[in-house]
Amino acid sequence: MEMADIVRYAGQGFVERSRRWINGQHEKVLTAITRCRTAALGGHRDQCSGCGHTAISYNSCRNRHCPRCQGNARIRWLQQRERELLPTRYVHAVFTMPRELAPLALQNKRLIYGLLFRASAATLLEVARDPRHLGAEIGFFSVLHTWDQRLQHHPHVHCVIAAGGLAPDHAGWVSSQRSFFLPVKVLGRVFRGKFVAGLKAAFQEGKLEFHGQLASLAQPRSFAARLRILFRHDWVVYSKRPFGGPEHALRYLGAYTHRVGISNSRLVALSDGQVSFRWRDSAHNNRKRVMSLPVDEFLRRFLLHLLPRGFVRIRNFGFLANRQRATLLPLCFSLLERSSGLPAHAPQEPARSTALPKCPHCGAIMHVVERLTLAQLMVRPPPLPRRQAA
């Protein structure tokens, strides 16, 4: 079973029952999911360069919220990132917003999610520069997720960070301790301060929207009272101890990039108007469980995690930032080579992806020999079992 099956089963009725809040983007994503890799989007005929075998492939929708379309995008992104990973250990850190801010984030996705990126990145850069901790300029990737295992709204940012950085004068590489990177309590307090300061600035500039039950927060006193609540407890920052080198970092990045709220592999059943799916219970040693939700509630939760149009969910910071990468990344390779005595080649331009489909009979490469429209596919149905498009 796939997400498309659920949308086909209940999508139209769900949209009609949800007119109070559903919008055009929601409907566009649901439509894209149902059309993905079907004749509705057209296709192409592939032919094997070896044995001549032919097969029909249907086109994908390429919507970034479609569970089917993320695998190849993830592979292409990882191929490009592979050349940027340094021959050193890496760290995985997670910055999480408190639950009290989740309703506000849903009404101000672009602003709050952008602030989450900026505050977490500024926190890592500031604490790492402090000579009491690392005393270096670091570089890292950040990936936004907005869900938990039960598809509830849970905005957080995953960061994969080189366990070390450039010395302040850029004359050497500073490595972190083998079992410790940066203090999580310090990270949490600095993160909280920067995030709340950003919220205050956005409120004063009139950039925040308040609707429904949040309408009262438009008053300065009510908003200030809500912010004070955020200082009653520490904010959660998780940091895994430094692990292996670039190949481990790629594995981590592959697990967190280009994901949507739920993958097709986690879906179990659709029966009697209920959707069952697997989830991992982190409160009980990551025990695997199955949850069932009414189909309308399942689709509502799925749509909570649509990102604003054009919003970038994977970002680079520090010496990996776009403006500095071309200069600082080769310097990092050079300094690591000098300090370790091992060859650490500077990154080269990525090669073109060679992930072309292969013939199921002889293993040779399949090449596109004909583009097919919906009309052609309907008039001339494929005589062979279709193969899903890459």
Side-chain angles (χ1 to χ4, degrees), residues 101-122:
L101 288 175
L104 184 63
L106 282 175
Q107 295 187 11
N108 300 270
K109 285 185 176 182
R110 187 179 299 276
L111 190 148
I112 299 296
Y113 294 164
L115 179 57
L116 178 57
F117 267 120
R118 294 192 301 274
S120 59

Side-chain angles (χ1 to χ4, degrees), residues 15-45:
V15 169
E16 295 302 325
R17 292 187 293 271
S18 307
R19 286 297 180 191
R20 182 175 56 86
W21 59 270
I22 206 164
N23 61 35
Q25 185 193 16
H26 295 143
E27 294 188 63
K28 183 178 179 180
V29 170
L30 294 177
T31 300
I33 289 174
T34 60
R35 291 160 57 92
C36 186
R37 296 183 187 178
T38 68
L41 296 181
H44 46 87
R45 184 181 298 278

Side-chain angles (χ1 to χ4, degrees), residues 15 43 59 67 73 87 116 123 186 224 243 250 262 349 358 376:
V15 169
N59 295 332
L116 178 57
T123 296
V186 174
F243 51 85
L250 269 181
I262 191 166
E349 285 299 315
K358 295 185 179 181
Q376 291 173 311

Side-chain angles (χ1 to χ4, degrees), residues 205-225:
E205 295 169 9
K207 294 181 178 180
L208 288 172
E209 297 183 8
F210 305 96
H211 307 288
Q213 296 181 349
L214 299 184
S216 62
L217 294 182
Q219 301 301 319
R221 286 189 176 183
S222 297
F223 188 75

Side-chain angles (χ1 to χ4, degrees), residues 225-300:
R226 178 63 62 91
L227 293 185
R228 285 195 294 270
I229 295 175
L230 302 177
F231 285 93
R232 293 179 181 174
H233 52 78
D234 292 334
W235 285 27
V236 177
V237 176
Y238 165 84
S239 180
K240 184 180 178 66
R241 62 185 297 174
F243 51 85
E247 66 282 358
H248 293 85
L250 269 181
R251 195 176 306 139
Y252 259 86
L253 286 167
Y256 294 104
T257 63
H258 299 85
R259 291 179 65 180
V260 297
I262 191 166
S263 62
N264 286 327
S265 62
R266 288 176 55 197
L267 299 175
V268 176
L270 172 61
S271 178
D272 299 326
Q274 298 278 319
V275 178
S276 300
F277 60 94
R278 300 180 186 88
W279 67 287
R280 189 180 67 253
D281 188 353
S282 58
H284 296 87
N285 298 318
N286 288 327
R287 183 176 178 180
K288 293 183 178 180
R289 303 182 185 272
V290 174
M291 170 176 283
S292 295
L293 292 174
V295 65
D296 279 14
E297 173 61 12
F298 175 83
L299 291 175
R300 185 195 71 83

Side-chain angles (χ1 to χ4, degrees), residues 89 91 163 176-182 239-243:
R89 294 171 297 124
V91 176
S176 70
Q177 299 179 26
R178 294 205 63 84
S179 60
F180 177 79
F181 182 56
L182 295 172
S239 180
K240 184 180 178 66
R241 62 185 297 174
F243 51 85

